[in-house]
Amino acid sequence: MFGKIIDLLEERFTFKKSLQEDVFEHKVPNKLNFTFCFGGLTFLMFLLLVATGIAMLFFYVPTVDHAFTSVEYITFDLPMGNVIRGVHHWSANGIIVFICLHMLRVVVYGAYKNPREFHWISGVLLFAVTLGFGFTGYLLPWDQKAYWATNVGVLMPKGVPFIGDHIVSFLMGGSNIGALTLSRFFALHIAVLPLITAVFLLAHFLMIRRTGVARPL
Amino acid sequence: MADEVSRRKFLTAGIGVISGTIIVGLGGAAMVSIAAPAITNKQQGKWVSAGNIAELPPGQFSQVNLTYDAKDGWMDGKFKMLAYVKVEGENISAFSATCSHLGCNVNYDESTGGFKCPCHTGMYDKNGKNVSGPPPHPLKKLEAKIEDGKLMVNTLPKEA
Amino acid sequence: MQDDVSAPENGDTEKQMIFFPNFLFLEAIAAIIVFAGIVALAVFIPMAMGDPADPSASAFKPKPEWYFMSAFYLLKLCPSSIEIVPTIIGPAVGGALLMLMPFIDKHPERSPKKRPIAMILTAVITVSVVGLTVAGIYLD
C-alpha cells in the first residue's frame, strides 16, 4: 500500500533518482574529521530555532502591552514552555558559536578558494542575517534588557552621513521605540529574515552538492 | 525567420515589462507603507506636571518621571521619560535625561554637579553641556514653566 | 567546468566515502551530543524574566548579547570624534573584506602551513575579537 503510493509519486516527481544521485551516493573525501561537522551543526541549530520559534508563535503577542506578559506566560505557565524558550535561547547562542567555528575551519583549510567563492559569500551573508535575527529577537520579550539594548543598537546608524537620522527612524518606525518598533522587529524576525535565510541556505547547500566538500589537507 | 526573431523579442520584452510593472508596483506600495511611519509617527510635545514647586528642593537637580499619553502607531500608548529639573528662583532648567550618544538615561553625578551616562561614561556639566566621553551634543533642554504652583514641562525637547 | 570537483584535485586517486550513511552518521553523532547539551542547558538553567521595559528607568545599563559585545566594547574604547569608525565604517569595511576574501586571497595553495600571512591575520583577528568580547563582559 505505502510502497504503491511511493511508486505513484515517483512516477510524477522522479525524486528517487535525484535523491539517489545527489544524497545517498554523493561522494565526500575519506579523511573528514569532526571539524567538518560544524556546518551541519549550524543547520541543526537553525532547525531547532525554527521548531521552537513556531511553537512560541502560537502564544507570543507582539504588542507593547502584551509582549512581556505573553513571554511570561510561555516561561512560567505553559507546560514545557520554559524548555521551548530555553532551547530557542541556547540554540540562538549555539548557532553563532557554530557559524564562527565553521568559518574558522573553512579559512584554515582554504576551502573558500576557487571554485567555492560563492559558497563563502552566501555563508557570510547568512552570518549577517543570523546577527540580524539576534538583534531583532532580543527586543521581542519587551523587558528592560530588550528595550535598552535595542535603544543603543538602533541609534548606531545615526552617524551615517546625511541619511543617518532617516535610517534610525525607519528602523524604529517613528520617532521613538514603541508599538511600531516592536511590530516591525517581529515581522523581520519571523518573516523577512527566515525567507532570506531560506534562499541563501538553499544556494549554500546546492553549491556544496555541486562542487563537493574541499578535500582535507 | 527575421519575423520570428523580432516576434520573439517583442514577446520577451512584453513579459519583462509586465512582470516589472507588477513587481515595482507591488514592491513600491509595500515599501511606502513600511517606510511611512518613519515620517508620520512623530510625537507631539505635551505639557505634563513634574511635581509641586514646594516639593522640589530649590537650587538643585531633581530627577522626575514624566508620564503621558500619546498616539503610538495604532494604539494609545502610555509614554514615560526621565528628566532633570532645577528651580532657582526665577530660573528653571529642565533637561531630558536621554544621552545624546546612544540614548541611555544619564544619572546625576554628585561629585561634579553634572550628569554621567552609565553606558559609555559620557559626562555633562550642570548646564547639560557635554564635557567628556563620547556624547556629541549637550543634553536636550526641555521647555518648562510654573503654573498654579506646579512645574510644567514639555515632553518634546526644544530643537537645538 | 569540471563535472565533479570533489574528485581528487591533483589527479591522485584519493579514497572517497559515500555521504550517506558514512559521513551522515558522524554528523548524527555530533548532532545528538549538541542536541543533548542544548536541552540540558534549557532544562537546568530555566529562563527568567527581567522587569518590563521602562523608558524612564534611570541607570539601567544595557548589556548587549555576547556576540555584539566586541563591537559594543570597541565603541566604548573609541573617542567620540572617530565614533563613526566602530559603528559604521568598521562593520561595513570588515564585512566587505570578509565577503571578498576569496577574490583577495586568490592563490590556489590551501595548506595552512604554506599560507603564513593568512593564518597570522586569522589568528590576530580571532584573538582580538575574543579579547574584546571577554573584556566587554568582565570589565564593562
Side-chain angles (χ1 to χ4, degrees), chain C residues 7-54:
Chain C
E9 281 163 36
N10 305 335
D12 53 5
T13 50
E14 200 199 347
K15 278 180 191 152
Q16 294 192 310
M17 64 173 166
I18 305 173
F19 175 75
F20 180 93
N22 300 24
F23 182 68
L24 205 56
F25 185 71
L26 184 66
E27 194 82 77
I29 296 287
I32 192 66
I33 294 169
V34 172
F35 179 70
I38 294 276
V39 173
L41 283 170
V43 170
F44 293 113
I45 308 180
M47 296 300 289
M49 296 295 294
D51 295 317
D54 179 6

Side-chain angles (χ1 to χ4, degrees), chain A residues 63-65 148 151-152 155-156 158 169-170 173-176 178-180 183-184, chain B residues 31 34-35 37-38 41-43 72-75 79 100-105 120:
Chain A
T63 65
V64 291
D65 42 359
W148 289 103
N151 194 26
V152 173
L155 287 174
M156 290 229 175
K158 210 170 57 171
S169 44
F170 177 76
S175 57
N176 55 286
L180 295 186
S183 50
R184 62 182 48 213
Chain B
M31 280 315 293
I34 291 170
N41 192 28
K42 288 272 184 272
Q43 277 207 7
D72 184 15
W74 43 271
M75 62 186 289
F79 284 93
S100 64
H101 180 219
L102 292 172
C104 302
N105 279 337
H120 300 92

Side-chain angles (χ1 to χ4, degrees), chain A residues 24 26 93 112 120 215, chain C residues 14 18-19 66 98 105 107:
Chain A
F24 295 119
H26 180 73
N93 287 286
Y112 54 85
W120 173 261
R215 202 163 48 87
Chain C
E14 200 199 347
I18 305 173
F19 175 75
W66 60 268
L98 196 65
D105 176 20
H107 195 276

Side-chain angles (χ1 to χ4, degrees), chain A residues 24 26 28 30 37 68 82 93 107-110 112-113 120 138 142-144 147-148 159-160 211 215, chain C residues 6 14-15 17-20 27 47 50-51 53-55 57 60 65-66 84 88 98 105 107 109-110 115:
Chain A
F24 295 119
H26 180 73
V28 292
N30 206 4
C37 288
F68 185 82
N82 201 309
N93 287 286
V107 169
V108 169
Y109 282 78
Y112 54 85
K113 296 187 174 194
W120 173 261
Y138 206 61
W142 202 250
D143 58 3
Q144 282 283 63
Y147 179 88
W148 289 103
V160 177
T211 59
R215 202 163 48 87
Chain C
S6 70
E14 200 199 347
K15 278 180 191 152
M17 64 173 166
I18 305 173
F19 175 75
F20 180 93
E27 194 82 77
M47 296 300 289
D51 295 317
D54 179 6
F60 189 86
E65 283 280 52
W66 60 268
I84 194 168
I88 298 145
L98 196 65
D105 176 20
H107 195 276
E109 179 58 55
R110 292 208 291 116
R115 294 155 55 223

Side-chain angles (χ1 to χ4, degrees), chain A residues 23-34 36-38 40-41 44-45 48 68 71-72 75-76 82-83 85-87 89-94 96-98 103-104 107-113 115-118 120-121 124-125 127 131 134-135 138 141-145 147-149 152 156-157 159-161 209-217, chain C residues 1-10 12 14-21 23-24 26-27 30-32 34-35 38-39 41-43 45-57 60-68 71-72 75 83-84 86-88 95 97-103 105-112 115 118-119 122 126:
Chain A
V23 179
F24 295 119
E25 282 168 15
H26 180 73
K27 299 280 199 303
V28 292
N30 206 4
K31 293 181 295 189
L32 297 187
N33 54 36
F34 74 96
F36 284 81
C37 288
F38 293 142
L41 291 176
L44 173 74
M45 295 296 102
L48 293 182
F68 185 82
V71 175
E72 228 174 8
T75 311
F76 299 122
N82 201 309
V83 174
R85 188 172 164 225
V87 169
H89 172 86
W90 291 109
S91 309
N93 287 286
I96 307 276
V97 173
F98 287 123
M103 283 173 90
L104 271 179
V107 169
V108 169
Y109 282 78
Y112 54 85
K113 296 187 174 194
R116 300 182 184 82
E117 302 97 327
F118 287 96
W120 173 261
I121 290 176
V124 172
L125 290 170
F127 183 42
L131 292 177
F135 181 59
Y138 206 61
W142 202 250
D143 58 3
Q144 282 283 63
K145 257 181 12 176
Y147 179 88
W148 289 103
V152 173
M156 290 229 175
V160 177
R209 282 283 127 210
R210 174 81 180 141
T211 59
V213 176
R215 202 163 48 87
L217 299 151
Chain C
M1 185 80 185
Q2 264 175 291
D3 205 19
D4 183 8
V5 194
S6 70
E9 281 163 36
N10 305 335
D12 53 5
E14 200 199 347
K15 278 180 191 152
Q16 294 192 310
M17 64 173 166
I18 305 173
F19 175 75
F20 180 93
F23 182 68
L24 205 56
L26 184 66
E27 194 82 77
I32 192 66
V34 172
F35 179 70
I38 294 276
V39 173
L41 283 170
V43 170
I45 308 180
M47 296 300 289
M49 296 295 294
D51 295 317
D54 179 6
S56 70
F60 189 86
K61 197 174 166 186
K63 272 231 158 181
E65 283 280 52
W66 60 268
Y67 43 84
F68 291 126
F72 185 76
L75 181 63
E83 189 187 296
I84 194 168
T87 54
I88 298 145
L97 284 181
L98 196 65
M99 208 139 85
L100 295 176
M101 210 164 70
F103 304 103
D105 176 20
K106 282 167 75 133
H107 195 276
E109 179 58 55
R110 292 208 291 116
S111 169
R115 294 155 55 223
M119 287 304 102
T122 308
T126 310

Side-chain angles (χ1 to χ4, degrees), chain B residues 68-90:
Chain B
Y68 58 102
D69 298 316
K71 205 85 183 141
D72 184 15
W74 43 271
M75 62 186 289
D76 297 317
K78 273 226 179 302
F79 284 93
K80 286 176 170 180
M81 67 180 278
L82 194 71
Y84 289 95
V85 293
K86 182 168 75 168
V87 183
E88 223 170 1
E90 291 289 290

